[in-house]
Amino acid sequence: MWRSVPLYNIILDKIRKNNNNIRDDDLFKEVKNSTNYEVSYDDFLKALMALEIRGYISVSLIKENVRMITYLGDRE
């Protein structure tokens, strides 16, 4: 299914609005509520991994299955 707004952009928007730090479960809830299509947790994690590889975010493991996502800034 085609998405009108890429999942990456939605995730980055939500992280910026939350003072650059947010837990993954809170971010997933916000992303899911703000889209008009179904977002699976697997797709969400793949998007996080792609954003981390590209250098936009940093994902840290706080404890088992709890991650802290930090916005690092836009790349130029």
Side-chain angles (χ1 to χ4, degrees), residues 13-52:
D13 242 7
K14 296 298 176 187
I15 295 170
R16 285 184 199 128
K17 290 180 183 176
N18 286 300
N19 299 324
N20 299 333
N21 289 320
I22 189 168
R23 288 180 34 183
D24 66 331
D25 53 348
D26 296 333
L27 179 61
F28 181 65
K29 289 176 192 171
E30 287 189 26
V31 167
K32 203 168 179 176
N33 290 335
S34 68
T35 60
N36 56 356
Y37 51 85
E38 186 64 31
V39 177
S40 71
Y41 195 69
D42 286 339
D43 288 341
F44 173 73
L45 290 178
K46 286 178 187 177
L48 284 181
M49 185 171 27
L51 288 170
E52 186 174 22

Side-chain angles (χ1 to χ4, degrees), residues 58-73:
S58 172
V59 180
S60 306
L61 194 62
I62 297 175
K63 58 183 180 178
E64 189 174 342
N65 295 328
V66 179
R67 298 165 191 84
M68 179 61 74
I69 297 139
T70 305
Y71 179 66
L72 299 176

